[in-house]
Amino acid sequence: MSTFEEIQQREKKVLFQTYARYPLAAVRGKGARLWDSEGREYIDLLSGIAVTSLGHCNEEVTRVMCDQAATLVHVSNLLYQENQVRLAERLLTTNHFDKAFFCTSGAEANETAIKLARRYMQCVRRNGAFEIITFENAFHGRTLGTLAATGQVKLQEGFAPMPEGFRQVPWNDLAALEAAITPQTAAVMIEMVQGESGIRPVTPEFAKGIEAICRKKNVLLIIDEVQAGLCRSGRFWCFQNFDIKPDIISCAKALANGLPIGAVMATDEVAQAFPFGSHGTTFGGGPLLTAVADKVVEIMIRDQLDKRAARLGTAFLARLREVACKHPDKIKEVRGLGLLIGIELTAPGKDVWLKLIEKGFVLNLSHDTVLRLLPPLIIDEADLNAFADALDEVLA
Ligand SMILES: *Cc1c(COP(=O)(O)O)cnc(C)c1O
């Protein structure tokens, strides 16, 4: 096997240089542990960005993956597939929606949600509405449509022109939202916890207020659950923390614990906007992906991983806040919901982040100042406490 330096040099030669990679090459994983090319062991507090929620190489998931790989991997959405039906049935027991559509990524799920909202307005209500309202610092993906929804100038640089029909309003400003809605507005789209931009949960008032405005103005409410969904927030779906009922949700990341699958769910009222031939995708919800996702969802429900995320998250947040109290000059704020946790530093944190990697923790640094933690939901509390101790040491 190649050394880390060899892998680094080969990568530079042949891969698009789109990623500022971490100083390690992962070769093996088990549960919350990762091992790199040099044989070093890490506690994984990133989970492939909120993907491997059941831990690496979960035995039950691996068994389903192998069995299904030997039975049927892909056909086409032109054929009936019971695995897809079974996954939809199970997913729909976790929320108030009636129908599901499967695709292959978060961006594609959001793109689908946007298309669905527009088509609902244009073909069911026949009012011609098309505009999607999103929030500052949102992240909805990197296809052109979702990049327009994301709205961040930094991410859009060089990709002009953006598709039309998107408008952004400030976070936590209900008056601005209400003022932005016009007869052309089709939907409001939001992450209940802004993930990529440093773990910013909505306040309960903001969440309830958004729902009330959408109802009053008769526009759809789309919740992007790509990162926060599937138990991570302490409820099965993040919106369920806020006692609201969106019209459409998108999800992806953790759905098949590492295989690429996304989903959109909606009420029957909205789902009727996609009749035969109006939307589709080649890989979406194939037999292998849906067999694995069905096992993932089954385990999440059976093991009540939502409750586990809530319990671990509450304890971990409290522990991190103790560390923050000891270092008020270094830590500005600790925030989060369930096992979506952000530690905002008072200054750019690249050194702190690198030292934590050296100490054996894989985690993300978001927007230069926020240590972002998305541990697997099966992690032991001892691993989280070990991180808190390590952070305390690094900051001392
Ligand atoms: C990751 C993410 C996306 C994009 O998902 P991809 O699978 O990378 O396309 C969209 N929305 C949110 C909230 C995300 O965290």
Side-chain angles (χ1 to χ4, degrees):
M1 197 192 299
S2 306
T3 65
F4 175 61
E5 283 72 27
E6 286 163 358
I7 296 169
Q8 234 180 349
Q9 278 162 19
R10 285 163 56 203
E11 192 263 9
K12 212 178 190 147
K13 234 172 150 177
V14 296
L15 292 179
F16 278 28
Q17 296 293 294
T18 45
Y19 301 107
R21 296 189 199 265
Y22 296 9
L24 66 115
V27 295
R28 188 163 64 85
K30 187 72 201 162
R33 295 294 144 111
L34 267 181
W35 286 269
D36 74 5
S37 54
E38 317 298 289
R40 270 182 309 220
E41 181 176 319
Y42 298 84
I43 293 177
D44 186 358
L45 301 175
L46 183 62
S47 312
I49 316 194
V51 169
T52 51
S53 280
L54 304 185
H56 296 289
C57 301
N58 176 289
E59 275 165 31
E60 288 177 274
V61 175
T62 300
R63 197 173 322 124
V64 169
M65 204 184 289
C66 293
D67 288 350
Q68 187 62 44
T71 307
L72 186 66
V73 173
H74 176 80
V75 279
S76 156
N77 279 310
L78 298 175
L79 276 57
Y80 284 95
Q81 301 163 46
E82 189 177 358
N83 289 357
Q84 198 177 99
V85 177
R86 193 179 300 122
L87 171 60
E89 285 168 348
R90 202 187 298 280
L91 267 179
L92 293 168
T93 65
T94 62
N95 55 41
H96 63 282
F97 296 110
D98 304 306
K99 292 274 194 311
F101 177 90
F102 296 110
C103 55
T104 43
S105 71
E108 194 187 357
N110 284 334
E111 196 83 31
T112 302
I114 292 164
K115 285 180 71 179
L116 179 62
R118 283 189 174 175
R119 205 170 190 289
Y120 174 71
M121 291 299 174
Q122 293 169 34
C123 299
V124 178
R125 285 206 197 150
R126 298 183 181 280
N127 62 9
F130 60 87
E131 197 166 65
I132 309 291
I133 297 182
T134 61
F135 295 84
E136 285 174 5
N137 294 314
F139 184 85
H140 297 299
R142 290 175 182 273
T143 59
L144 282 170
T146 58
L147 194 53
T150 291
Q152 295 182 38
V153 175
K154 191 183 85 180
L155 300 180
Q156 293 180 347
E157 191 190 347
F159 298 124
M162 285 292 122
E164 287 174 32
F166 295 87
R167 178 196 293 230
Q168 283 218 312
V169 296
W171 185 248
N172 215 1
D173 185 343
L174 289 171
L177 173 63
E178 185 154 4
I181 293 177
T182 70
Q184 296 196 320
T185 307
V188 174
M189 180 162 161
I190 185 172
E191 302 157 82
M192 295 276 96
V193 178
Q194 287 192 328
E196 298 295 314
S197 60
I199 311 293
R200 293 171 201 281
V202 291
T203 63
E205 301 72 42
F206 191 42
K208 282 297 245 185
I210 291 168
E211 184 191 43
I213 289 170
C214 287
R215 297 301 162 239
K216 179 172 145 197
K217 300 276 188 174
N218 218 2
V219 302
L220 297 178
L221 175 57
I222 305 171
I223 310 280
D224 177 345
E225 295 260 357
V226 171
Q227 186 160 158
L230 294 156
C231 297
R232 180 162 292 280
S233 74
R235 297 296 300 268
F236 203 97
W237 300 103
C238 194
F239 73 80
Q240 292 165 338
N241 288 289
F242 302 95
D243 187 30
I244 60 172
K245 278 205 167 134
D247 302 288
I248 303 172
I249 61 169
S250 57
C251 72
K253 288 189 163 91
L255 186 50
N257 210 50
L259 296 191
I261 183 169
V264 171
M265 281 166 273
T267 56
D268 269 331
E269 169 63 20
V270 176
Q272 67 177 308
F274 271 177
F276 293 134
S278 59
H279 190 63
T281 176
T282 298
F283 291 115
L288 176 64
L289 298 172
T290 44
V292 170
D294 186 50
K295 180 53 78 176
V296 168
V297 175
E298 184 195 325
I299 293 171
M300 284 178 170
I301 295 171
R302 182 194 71 199
D303 296 351
Q304 303 193 334
L305 291 184
D306 49 350
K307 297 207 172 74
R308 182 180 170 84
R311 181 166 52 77
L312 288 181
T314 303
F316 191 32
L317 267 185
R319 180 75 187 80
L320 290 172
R321 284 185 176 132
E322 281 170 25
V323 175
C325 282
K326 284 172 73 180
H327 306 281
D329 54 325
K330 306 255 172 66
I331 297 180
K332 189 169 155 194
E333 190 187 16
V334 175
R335 54 181 181 250
L337 190 63
L339 286 175
L340 293 136
I341 291 180
I343 303 163
E344 184 166 357
L345 304 173
T346 52
K350 184 135 190 239
D351 289 353
V352 172
W353 172 73
L354 276 173
K355 280 187 190 141
L356 287 165
I357 293 180
E358 271 168 35
K359 279 183 173 288
F361 298 92
V362 174
L363 70 158
N364 175 242
L365 178 68
S366 159
H367 288 236
D368 292 334
T369 56
V370 184
L371 300 172
R372 181 167 61 140
L373 309 177
L374 303 160
L377 309 184
I378 49 86
I379 197 168
D380 285 337
E381 195 160 3
D383 286 347
L384 297 175
N385 289 334
F387 172 79
D389 292 342
L391 178 65
D392 190 5
E393 269 174 50
V394 165
L395 294 178

